[in-house]
Amino acid sequence: MGGDFGPQVTVPASVQALLQYPELKVILFGDQSAITSQLSLLNQLQHPRLSIVHCEHVIANETRPSQALRSSQGTSMRMALDSVSDGQADACVSAGNTGALMALSRYTLKQLPGVDRPALVTAIPTNTDNKTWLLDLGANVSCDADTLFQFAVMGAVLAEQENSASPRVALLNIGEEEIKGNDLVKRCAEMLANSPDINYIGYLEGNELYSGRADVIVCDGFVGNVSLKTSEGVANLFIDSIKNAISTNPLKRLVAKWLFNDLFISLKQLNPDQYNGASLLGLRGIVVKSHGSADVAAFSNAIGEAVHEVKRQIPTKISDRLEEVLLERHY
Amino acid sequence: MGGDFGPQVTVPASVQALLQYPELKVILFGDQSAITSQLSLLNQLQHPRLSIVHCEHVIANETRPSQALRSSQGTSMRMALDSVSDGQADACVSAGNTGALMALSRYTLKQLPGVDRPALVTAIPTNTDNKTWLLDLGANVSCDADTLFQFAVMGAVLAEQENSASPRVALLNIGEEEIKGNDLVKRCAEMLANSPDINYIGYLEGNELYSGRADVIVCDGFVGNVSLKTSEGVANLFIDSIKNAISTNPLKRLVAKWLFNDLFISLKQLNPDQYNGASLLGLRGIVVKSHGSADVAAFSNAIGEAVHEVKRQIPTKISDRLEEVLLERHY
């Protein structure tokens, strides 16, 4: 039970998700008394599809992954991941320390065959009706072309569940013709172009991230993280700017409430922060990372993301697809 | 006379800049008849501070830098740069092909001593009263730590002209503690931390790009370009979203005009596209790159940027500073 707000958010979010998904069962790993007091507030102490596993310890937000690995015994994160690894649970959702979650996930669940490194992926909004899957978001700061290629395959498996049977895959690159891309991007482009199983559409620039032109956009974790965080920064700047523009005049504030009803809804959709639930893709199990600062609705979305991935058997699909694609590449 | 609109934009922009800067002289390199017809429209055929150098050729937007280098004789870009190199002009402003401008600038002007590679830098808006200088924006897709270090020194020289005598320098990095940065960023961080002449404040994440927390933000050209272009994409998405939110209702449109007067001004300031005039820093001369799609006001801003850099003798200051800093590092 991590995240910035702990059971105060994760418990009501779980109850909300249980309402939304009648087939869902939730096991809460954390401090029993803190969880119980939240459940009692919600009058849900006896929920038939909710159980609690008491954990003595928690991995702090500032704990380094290496340290988390060494001292994970008895922590809620480790116990939740173990429950996936031993088949007791189908997926783990956490708002805790990302680095620790990544390290412990790899340690407990292991990668799927053909996956060098798991990737952190999320769906970003676009100005079309479709979402776009962006990966990696920071799990891998340095990648080689093979790793990016695997990201493309894994992202396509996710995107084809919602967008189309043949999702358009692009590489995130920079604009100028000559200096188009570093060696990494160029090598991966060649691999993707030569893979008949992948609908590779070429390079996309940062300004097309939200254009809906691709279903999957692939980059290394450094670039993906900077890009997503930059988006967050610009979005917040816009929202602040709108608030400032109307805050000086009481009449404007009033009118804005009426005028901005639609607007704020659509602005909210554009804030990547609202798209909660980044998946760790490429593991032998489903792990969904929620923002640490997620509120009840956002954490409930992250649980929803896990439910979808379980239903769609994403790890099995990724494993099958990688086998096909890699076989094709080698023979 | 390049860019997407040619003399139609660059000529009126030059006339506007001449009005704004009484000490400015402009030499227009391009097709004499096209320039003359624009000047005639503006009734400025006899402007005392404006002259024309006819050029037979132009470098096309799709020309690769290597090709531009081979066939640059007689092109407006080459002749304008030569005029800086032989002291006839103090600065060159171009809305043409960035890759070609970079290659020809290096060829004709050469780098300053101590500069491995010139950087493309621009000032981005922040939600404070100060701007922030971001570099590199795509001139160098792969950098080593020494190059990033030089970028930091050059950026600080620009920032101290406007922000403060001891500009705060940050490295753009990703968020998670453990996986904080790739080797490049870590190595450069060490160099910066050990340089008493640089006010190094540490890492900044993408969401703090527009926070005003740093005066200079340094990254490699791939990351900088993706980050700036992403900002552009998000800004456009917001502006479209606002337009859509009000376009459905005629009354809302009317009210929005009144309400959005301030807002649109402040939104426009947030659009990095409006901050026209990226400088090629580290050359023995001043070269300012305008957006290809710049309008008259934006191209005039780019000329203004060149005027400021000439007045402030930026290349000399960079050269002096690099000598100091590098001496300090080696002895």
Side-chain angles (χ1 to χ4, degrees):
Chain A
M1 292 274 114
D4 302 347
F5 310 112
Q8 235 177 307
V9 159
T10 48
V11 173
S14 301
V15 171
Q16 190 172 308
L18 285 164
L19 261 174
Q20 203 177 339
Y21 303 100
E23 70 284 26
L24 172 68
K25 288 180 192 161
V26 172
I27 314 171
L28 296 168
F29 291 84
D31 181 76
Q32 177 138 23
S33 72
I35 294 171
T36 310
S37 72
Q38 287 297 324
L39 285 173
S40 144
L41 282 175
L42 298 163
N43 243 335
Q44 297 287 350
L45 275 173
Q46 304 298 328
H47 198 294
R49 289 182 283 127
L50 191 150
S51 56
I52 305 171
V53 173
H54 177 67
C55 308
E56 290 286 341
H57 305 291
V58 69
I59 292 175
N61 280 337
E62 58 281 8
T63 307
R64 298 170 66 89
S66 50
Q67 191 189 338
L69 269 178
R70 283 193 301 273
S71 56
S72 64
Q73 287 296 346
T75 63
S76 52
M77 189 185 282
R78 170 67 187 273
M79 289 176 78
L81 286 167
D82 280 343
S83 77
V84 177
S85 144
D86 65 20
Q88 201 194 344
D90 293 310
C92 166
V93 181
S94 169
N97 179 328
T98 311
L101 185 65
M102 172 83 179
L104 283 179
S105 297
R106 289 181 69 181
Y107 177 72
T108 56
L109 297 175
K110 315 287 185 229
Q111 279 105 276
L112 289 166
V115 175
D116 290 329
R117 295 185 58 85
L120 201 59
V121 62
T122 199
I124 59 173
T126 70
N127 53 8
T128 69
D129 292 335
N130 283 340
K131 296 183 282 185
T132 291
W133 280 262
L134 179 66
L135 71 169
D136 175 52
L137 300 175
N140 307 283
V141 286
S142 303
C143 299
D144 59 20
D146 283 315
T147 317
L148 285 192
F149 180 83
Q150 293 159 17
F151 293 173
V153 176
M154 297 197 290
V157 169
L158 268 194
E160 71 189 19
Q161 308 298 314
E162 293 189 41
N163 282 16
S164 87
S166 178
R168 299 155 300 168
V169 174
L171 282 169
L172 187 56
N173 201 350
I174 68 170
E176 298 310 322
E177 287 303 319
E178 166 81 346
I179 49 176
K180 210 168 207 175
N182 45 28
D183 291 343
L184 171 67
V185 167
K186 284 176 193 163
R187 274 200 304 274
C188 185
E190 207 185 314
M191 291 170 70
L192 289 169
N194 290 327
S195 287
D197 269 354
I198 296 172
N199 179 12
Y200 175 62
I201 60 163
Y203 296 140
L204 270 195
E205 293 186 56
N207 55 340
E208 296 176 299
L209 216 50
Y210 299 90
S211 68
R213 273 194 53 210
D215 301 299
V216 180
I217 301 179
V218 176
C219 56
D220 73 47
F222 195 98
V223 170
N225 187 285
V226 166
S227 180
L228 195 69
K229 290 254 169 87
T230 297
S231 303
E232 207 179 302
V234 176
N236 288 335
L237 201 60
F238 264 78
I239 289 167
D240 288 350
S241 166
I242 290 169
K243 284 183 185 158
N244 289 341
I246 59 174
S247 68
T248 46
N249 181 324
L251 183 56
K252 284 191 175 181
R253 266 206 306 279
L254 239 165
V255 174
K257 271 199 178 168
W258 163 72
L259 188 66
F260 280 5
N261 195 28
D262 300 350
L263 180 62
F264 275 131
I265 293 169
S266 78
L267 289 183
K268 230 178 165 177
Q269 284 168 350
L270 297 182
N271 186 346
D273 213 34
Q274 300 300 318
Y275 265 61
N276 197 30
S279 308
L280 267 174
L281 230 48
L283 296 163
R284 298 173 190 262
I286 292 163
V287 180
V288 174
K289 169 71 178 78
S290 158
H291 274 277
S293 61
D295 61 12
V296 172
F299 194 81
S300 173
N301 280 346
I303 300 174
E305 175 60 33
V307 171
H308 290 309
E309 291 188 25
V310 172
K311 280 188 190 165
R312 289 161 179 162
Q313 300 188 283
I314 297 297
T316 309
K317 287 204 171 103
I318 287 178
S319 177
D320 293 349
R321 182 67 49 81
L322 273 170
E323 203 177 329
E324 283 167 38
V325 174
L326 294 178
L327 264 176
E328 206 166 57
R329 286 196 56 222
H330 291 129
Y331 302 105
Chain B
M1 292 271 118
D4 303 347
F5 310 113
Q8 235 178 306
V9 160
T10 48
V11 173
S14 300
V15 171
Q16 190 172 308
L18 284 164
L19 259 175
Q20 202 177 340
Y21 303 100
E23 70 285 24
L24 173 67
K25 289 180 192 158
V26 171
I27 315 170
L28 296 169
F29 291 83
D31 181 76
Q32 178 138 23
S33 73
I35 295 171
T36 310
S37 73
Q38 286 297 324
L39 285 172
S40 144
L41 281 174
L42 298 162
N43 243 338
Q44 298 286 350
L45 275 172
Q46 304 299 329
H47 197 294
R49 289 183 282 125
L50 192 150
S51 56
I52 304 171
V53 173
H54 177 66
C55 309
E56 291 286 340
H57 305 292
V58 68
I59 292 175
N61 279 338
E62 57 280 9
T63 307
R64 298 168 66 90
S66 50
Q67 190 190 338
L69 270 177
R70 284 193 301 273
S71 56
S72 65
Q73 288 295 344
T75 63
S76 51
M77 190 186 282
R78 171 66 187 273
M79 289 176 76
L81 286 168
D82 280 342
S83 77
V84 177
S85 145
D86 64 21
Q88 200 195 343
D90 293 310
C92 166
V93 181
S94 169
N97 179 329
T98 310
L101 185 65
M102 173 83 181
L104 283 178
S105 298
R106 289 181 69 181
Y107 177 72
T108 56
L109 298 174
K110 316 287 184 227
Q111 278 105 274
L112 289 166
V115 174
D116 290 328
R117 295 186 57 86
L120 200 60
V121 61
T122 198
I124 59 173
T126 71
N127 53 8
T128 69
D129 292 335
N130 283 339
K131 295 183 282 185
T132 291
W133 280 262
L134 178 65
L135 71 169
D136 174 50
L137 300 175
N140 308 282
V141 286
S142 303
C143 299
D144 61 18
D146 283 315
T147 316
L148 285 191
F149 180 83
Q150 293 158 17
F151 293 173
V153 176
M154 298 198 289
V157 169
L158 268 195
E160 72 189 20
Q161 308 298 315
E162 294 190 41
N163 281 16
S164 87
S166 179
R168 299 155 301 168
V169 175
L171 282 169
L172 186 57
N173 201 349
I174 68 169
E176 298 308 324
E177 288 302 321
E178 165 82 345
I179 51 176
K180 210 168 207 172
N182 45 27
D183 290 344
L184 171 68
V185 167
K186 286 176 192 163
R187 276 200 304 273
C188 185
E190 209 186 313
M191 289 170 71
L192 289 169
N194 290 328
S195 287
D197 269 353
I198 296 172
N199 180 12
Y200 175 62
I201 61 163
Y203 297 139
L204 270 195
E205 293 185 55
N207 55 339
E208 295 176 300
L209 216 52
Y210 299 90
S211 68
R213 273 194 54 209
D215 300 299
V216 180
I217 301 178
V218 176
C219 56
D220 72 48
F222 194 97
V223 170
N225 187 284
V226 167
S227 181
L228 195 68
K229 291 254 169 89
T230 297
S231 302
E232 208 179 303
V234 177
N236 289 335
L237 201 59
F238 265 77
I239 289 168
D240 288 350
S241 165
I242 290 169
K243 284 181 185 158
N244 288 340
I246 59 175
S247 67
T248 47
N249 181 325
L251 182 58
K252 283 190 175 181
R253 267 206 306 277
L254 239 165
V255 174
K257 272 199 178 167
W258 162 72
L259 187 66
F260 280 5
N261 195 27
D262 300 350
L263 179 61
F264 275 130
I265 292 169
S266 77
L267 289 184
K268 228 177 167 180
Q269 284 168 352
L270 297 182
N271 186 345
D273 213 33
Q274 301 300 319
Y275 267 61
N276 198 30
S279 308
L280 266 174
L281 230 50
L283 296 164
R284 297 172 191 263
I286 293 162
V287 180
V288 174
K289 169 71 179 78
S290 158
H291 273 278
S293 60
D295 60 12
V296 171
F299 194 82
S300 173
N301 280 345
I303 300 174
E305 175 59 34
V307 171
H308 290 308
E309 290 189 25
V310 172
K311 281 189 189 164
R312 289 161 180 164
Q313 300 187 284
I314 297 297
T316 310
K317 287 204 170 104
I318 287 178
S319 177
D320 293 350
R321 181 66 50 82
L322 272 170
E323 203 177 329
E324 283 167 36
V325 174
L326 294 178
L327 264 175
E328 206 166 56
R329 284 194 58 221
H330 291 131
Y331 303 105

